[in-house]
Amino acid sequence: MRAIKKIIVHCSATREGQDITADTIRDWHVNERGWSDIGYHYVVELDGTLKIGRQVERTGAHTVGHNADSIGICYVGGVESDGTTPKDTRTDTQKLSLLNLITVLKSMYPDAIVYGHRDFSTKACPSFDAKKEYE
């Protein structure tokens, strides 16, 4: 079993209200990037539905240099309707699903710290301060 020290929150960097699925993200990762599977362990879709991506036992492909000891979660959205400006577009149901998932993961991995992808990158992802929100 992998030693999980980080829970890293991402956004799909899709337009506000753009309803994509975990299967769409999997297709991008597998068919466009040539990866073996979706890079995230969990995806929170626009309606708050939680989908399992990559199995937690497998190392993710979501944060360069931090995949071995982390779980990656992606919510659908993160960009204004212009397609470029970062924005916290989480719906109320996405916020609740994220909170519930992170609460469960923290009970399973009590030493894990929640971060946003932006804590390890120059990107705005996930378009809000996940570390502060979930501390």
Side-chain angles (χ1 to χ4, degrees):
M1 189 162 159
R2 296 185 314 122
I4 303 300
K5 297 180 182 174
K6 303 175 193 97
I7 298 166
I8 304 176
V9 181
H10 300 259
C11 66
S12 62
T14 50
R15 289 177 170 85
E16 184 171 17
Q18 184 179 354
D19 194 9
I20 64 161
T21 65
D23 288 335
T24 301
I25 297 171
R26 179 175 277 112
D27 183 64
W28 294 342
H29 290 179
V30 173
N31 295 319
E32 293 180 23
R33 295 186 180 181
W35 297 354
S36 65
D37 197 359
I38 189 171
Y40 308 112
H41 296 98
Y42 298 95
V43 176
V44 179
E45 295 183 345
L46 200 59
D47 67 358
T49 300
L50 178 64
K51 294 290 179 92
I52 295 174
R54 190 178 287 223
Q55 294 297 313
V56 172
E57 296 77 27
R58 293 183 59 210
T59 300
H62 55 87
T63 308
V64 174
H66 299 275
N67 291 314
D69 64 353
S70 68
I71 292 174
I73 304 169
C74 177
Y75 81 90
V76 172
V79 179
E80 284 192 19
S81 58
D82 64 12
T84 58
T85 306
K87 180 182 179 184
D88 180 0
T89 63
R90 293 174 297 159
T91 63
D92 288 341
T93 53
Q94 282 179 308
K95 288 179 182 180
L96 183 58
S97 291
L98 275 166
L99 180 59
N100 289 340
L101 174 60
I102 289 168
T103 300
V104 168
L105 292 174
K106 285 287 290 170
S107 72
M108 295 170 63
Y109 309 101
D111 295 330
I113 297 171
V114 179
Y115 296 94
H117 185 202
R118 72 190 203 163
D119 295 312
F120 305 102
S121 169
T122 58
K123 298 178 180 183
C125 174
S127 301
F128 73 98
D129 189 347
K131 187 173 182 184
K132 182 177 180 182
E133 185 162 326
Y134 299 116
E135 66 184 350

